[in-house]
Amino acid sequence: MARHVAGPEIERLIQFLGKLPGLGPRSARRAALHLIKKKETLLGPLTRAMAGAYDTVGVCTVCGNVDTIEPCTLCRDTSRDGSVLVVVEDVGDLWALERAAALDARYHVLGGVLSPLDGIGPSDLAIASLLERCRAGTVREVVLAVNATVEGQTTAHYITDQLAHLAEAEGVAITVTRLAHGVPVGGELDYLDDGTLAQAMRARTRI
Amino acid sequence: MEWTDVGLVLGARRLGEADALVELMTVAHGRHLGVVKGGRSQRRAAGLQVGNSVRAVWRARLDEHVGTFAVETLDARGAALMADPLGLNAVQTLAAHFRLLPERDPHPDLLYAALAILARLDDPGPAAARLVRFELAVIEALGFGLDLTTCALTGTSDDLAWVSPATGRAAGRAAGLPWADRLLALPAFLVAAPIEAARDESPPLADLLAGFRLTGHFLARHVWEARGIDPPATREGFLAALARVGAKARA
């Protein structure tokens, strides 16, 4: 039987830290020790920050982003272009696009993609609320910023179909665009996979 | 335990932070799961897209273990399908149908039929006809085969036009006419030619949709409803894309 080297509180701390992405049992032990050593300057503020986040964080009912205010900071931001709606799979994708600062638009988080393997169908995603936002009339362009996977692109085509139905049935004309697929910045052709290269060649542009 | 086989990628889900649990339909080992170490890396994930053909080496200490796959991509068709809603929905529907089969139960004929569909996705008519036949073959592989060769009422094989939704047996046009409102239409292309002879058939859209209604009825009756699962949304997507292609061709 393994002998405990610390009390149950510390063992529990290590156990929960070990559940975080990127941390295994060893690194969780190191992180816990670091927190304990810096009890006043790190553990205390971290505990208060986590408790504050736990009390206030929630999912935005408009876009599906996570924030401590409702609607979220991005939805409240009046300087954003409300006519462009960027559809993403997950909050992590939204944060990545915001980091890139490529488009000053509004977002909609689907909460996943259609995946028969995981039993995720259209009703499990925030597609109905997306159509509702489009019905409101301010959206002119929907950018489908989903992952370049078969599941992601199947979801993109499904949403495109739904928006086409919306246009037919209710006269809501919306331009649907998607992210380009191809050579990443800094990518060397020799090291790219065949699929990406073929996509890049098909999507070549005039210089 | 170790074997090497070729197969079709049916799906991959994340396992931990770096690995992927990959599902393949292989020639000799059927639908088989395995862990691909580092399968979530950008380079490896591209080769594990649904619809790709791969050569896989499976290793495990015991046969009942999930084991690991070492995968080499043979045809990265998943990436090529991404711009085509018909192809994307077709490949996902094929994967969903393969998942109805028991694990590790080889069905090489079904795999080759699926590869033939994927090879002809540039021509929607023949691809759709093959998908209907593929669904019939899946229904048969699951033990619910339909008898589309002779009329259940007269015993003849001439002018078959209907299928009983209860028994799955065909009926002649004249013999089945009194119950036409309760019978499923049997499209001519399913009567006329066996699988091997029908490689490049391109039936009318109405016949194709009737074929999908027929297979959809028996898949729902014997499989989806019995197992409490929903029909794959991608099958509806395929039919919608097929109808759009048909409408464009007519215009």
Side-chain angles (χ1 to χ4, degrees), chain A residues 107-169:
Chain A
Y107 290 91
H108 191 85
V109 182
L110 289 175
V113 283
L114 296 175
S115 172
L117 183 61
D118 298 315
I120 299 173
S123 58
D124 299 309
L125 306 176
I127 294 175
S129 56
L130 169 67
L131 299 178
E132 208 50 55
R133 288 181 79 181
C134 292
R135 261 191 206 103
T138 51
V139 179
R140 294 280 167 266
E141 180 183 357
V142 168
V143 183
L144 296 170
V146 288
N147 290 340
T149 59
V150 167
E151 289 89 351
Q153 294 308 306
T154 306
T155 310
H157 286 298
Y158 180 82
I159 292 171
T160 307
D161 281 353
Q162 297 300 306
L163 291 171
H165 288 315
L166 198 66
E168 268 174 37

Side-chain angles (χ1 to χ4, degrees), chain A residues 20-23 114 116-118 122 148-151 153-154 157-158 161 178 181 184 190-196 199 202, chain B residues 11-13 17 21 23 42-43 46 49-50 76 78-80 82-85 88-89 91-92 96 99 233-234 237 240 244:
Chain A
L20 295 177
L23 294 185
L114 296 175
L117 183 61
D118 298 315
T149 59
V150 167
E151 289 89 351
Q153 294 308 306
T154 306
H157 286 298
Y158 180 82
D161 281 353
R178 68 164 172 82
H181 301 156
D190 194 23
Y191 288 95
L192 286 182
D193 64 278
D194 301 350
T196 305
Q199 279 279 35
R202 270 194 294 277
Chain B
R13 65 171 70 157
E17 287 182 48
L21 183 64
E23 189 176 31
Q42 205 171 7
R43 189 173 168 79
Q49 292 302 304
V50 182
M82 283 185 193
D84 172 23
L88 274 179
N89 284 304
V91 74
Q92 294 267 57
R99 273 187 209 108
T234 49
R244 271 199 305 276

Side-chain angles (χ1 to χ4, degrees), chain B residues 140-213:
Chain B
E140 190 171 342
L142 292 169
F144 305 104
L146 312 186
D147 178 5
L148 306 180
T149 55
T150 51
C151 173
L153 300 166
T154 63
T156 62
S157 55
D158 299 330
D159 199 21
L160 300 173
W162 315 101
V163 177
S164 162
T167 64
R169 297 188 65 189
R173 190 178 307 280
L177 205 55
W179 300 279
D181 57 333
R182 279 182 277 166
L183 295 173
L184 295 163
L186 174 61
F189 78 97
L190 288 180
V191 182
I195 294 174
E196 291 79 10
R199 290 207 172 101
D200 290 317
E201 63 189 340
S202 188
L205 179 64
D207 278 13
L208 289 170
L209 296 179
F212 281 110
R213 261 195 303 278

Side-chain angles (χ1 to χ4, degrees), chain A residues 13-25:
Chain A
L13 176 64
I14 293 167
Q15 195 184 341
F16 280 111
L17 285 173
K19 290 181 191 292
L20 295 177
L23 294 185

Side-chain angles (χ1 to χ4, degrees), chain B:
Chain B
M1 307 292 302
E2 180 173 328
W3 51 254
T4 302
D5 204 348
V6 290
L8 185 71
V9 179
L10 302 183
R13 65 171 70 157
R14 60 185 295 177
L15 185 72
E17 287 182 48
D19 305 333
L21 183 64
V22 176
E23 189 176 31
L24 301 179
M25 186 66 194
T26 60
V27 176
H29 300 85
R31 186 164 66 85
H32 210 292
L33 289 167
V35 175
V36 174
K37 295 281 179 191
R40 292 196 64 219
S41 71
Q42 205 171 7
R43 189 173 168 79
R44 290 252 173 93
L48 298 175
Q49 292 302 304
V50 182
N52 282 3
S53 285
V54 295
R55 177 179 290 110
V57 180
W58 181 78
R59 291 187 188 92
R61 193 167 62 79
L62 295 173
D63 190 45
E64 56 264 37
H65 286 175
V66 174
T68 58
F69 277 134
V71 174
E72 177 198 351
T73 307
L74 300 176
D75 187 344
R77 68 170 74 78
L81 295 175
M82 283 185 193
D84 172 23
L86 193 90
L88 274 179
N89 284 304
V91 74
Q92 294 267 57
T93 303
L94 287 170
H97 288 337
F98 276 127
R99 273 187 209 108
L100 299 175
L101 302 170
E103 268 188 63
R104 303 189 179 193
D105 189 19
H107 290 275
D109 292 348
L110 283 177
L111 177 61
Y112 293 134
L115 292 173
I117 293 168
L118 295 175
R120 290 304 310 270
L121 282 173
D122 55 334
D123 200 352
R130 286 176 181 216
L131 185 53
V132 174
R133 290 183 183 285
F134 178 85
E135 291 189 339
L136 282 175
V138 169
I139 293 168
E140 190 171 342
L142 292 169
F144 305 104
L146 312 186
D147 178 5
L148 306 180
T149 55
T150 51
C151 173
L153 300 166
T154 63
T156 62
S157 55
D158 299 330
D159 199 21
L160 300 173
W162 315 101
V163 177
S164 162
T167 64
R169 297 188 65 189
R173 190 178 307 280
L177 205 55
W179 300 279
D181 57 333
R182 279 182 277 166
L183 295 173
L184 295 163
L186 174 61
F189 78 97
L190 288 180
V191 182
I195 294 174
E196 291 79 10
R199 290 207 172 101
D200 290 317
E201 63 189 340
S202 188
L205 179 64
D207 278 13
L208 289 170
L209 296 179
F212 281 110
R213 261 195 303 278
L214 178 70
T215 52
H217 170 80
F218 288 103
L219 280 169
R221 181 188 165 94
H222 294 306
V223 190
W224 296 329
E225 284 168 15
R227 297 188 190 182
I229 53 176
D230 291 328
T234 49
R235 190 175 184 272
E236 286 305 311
F238 179 83
L239 295 182
L242 185 66
R244 271 199 305 276
V245 172
K248 247 185 221 170
R250 279 198 300 277

Side-chain angles (χ1 to χ4, degrees), chain A:
Chain A
M1 194 176 147
R3 290 201 333 209
H4 291 291
V5 293
E9 291 80 7
I10 295 175
E11 287 294 339
R12 202 159 59 236
L13 176 64
I14 293 167
Q15 195 184 341
F16 280 111
L17 285 173
K19 290 181 191 292
L20 295 177
L23 294 185
R26 272 172 176 273
S27 42
R29 212 163 267 280
R30 270 211 313 277
L33 191 58
H34 185 73
L35 285 169
I36 292 162
K37 278 180 180 170
K38 302 201 179 240
K39 187 178 168 189
E40 298 304 325
T41 57
L42 197 55
L43 184 57
L46 179 66
T47 307
R48 284 190 289 279
M50 288 175 80
Y54 179 80
D55 288 339
T56 54
V57 81
V59 177
C60 175
T61 52
V62 179
C63 71
N65 186 20
V66 288
D67 206 341
T68 53
I69 50 173
E70 168 66 28
C72 72
T73 311
L74 299 181
C75 289
R76 281 170 186 239
D77 186 351
T78 51
S79 68
R80 287 176 179 269
D81 183 358
S83 69
V84 181
L85 196 59
V86 183
V87 177
V88 293
E89 286 180 25
D90 197 60
V91 176
D93 301 329
L94 185 159
W95 288 0
L97 286 169
E98 275 298 290
R99 271 201 313 273
L103 200 60
D104 205 19
R106 297 200 181 276
Y107 290 91
H108 191 85
V109 182
L110 289 175
V113 283
L114 296 175
S115 172
L117 183 61
D118 298 315
I120 299 173
S123 58
D124 299 309
L125 306 176
I127 294 175
S129 56
L130 169 67
L131 299 178
E132 208 50 55
R133 288 181 79 181
C134 292
R135 261 191 206 103
T138 51
V139 179
R140 294 280 167 266
E141 180 183 357
V142 168
V143 183
L144 296 170
V146 288
N147 290 340
T149 59
V150 167
E151 289 89 351
Q153 294 308 306
T154 306
T155 310
H157 286 298
Y158 180 82
I159 292 171
T160 307
D161 281 353
Q162 297 300 306
L163 291 171
H165 288 315
L166 198 66
E168 268 174 37
E170 301 176 31
V172 182
I174 290 172
T175 305
V176 183
T177 55
R178 68 164 172 82
L179 298 186
H181 301 156
V183 183
V185 174
E188 296 176 39
L189 297 191
D190 194 23
Y191 288 95
L192 286 182
D193 64 278
D194 301 350
T196 305
L197 272 176
Q199 279 279 35
M201 195 53 84
R202 270 194 294 277
R204 64 188 183 273
T205 52
R206 187 186 288 273
I207 297 177

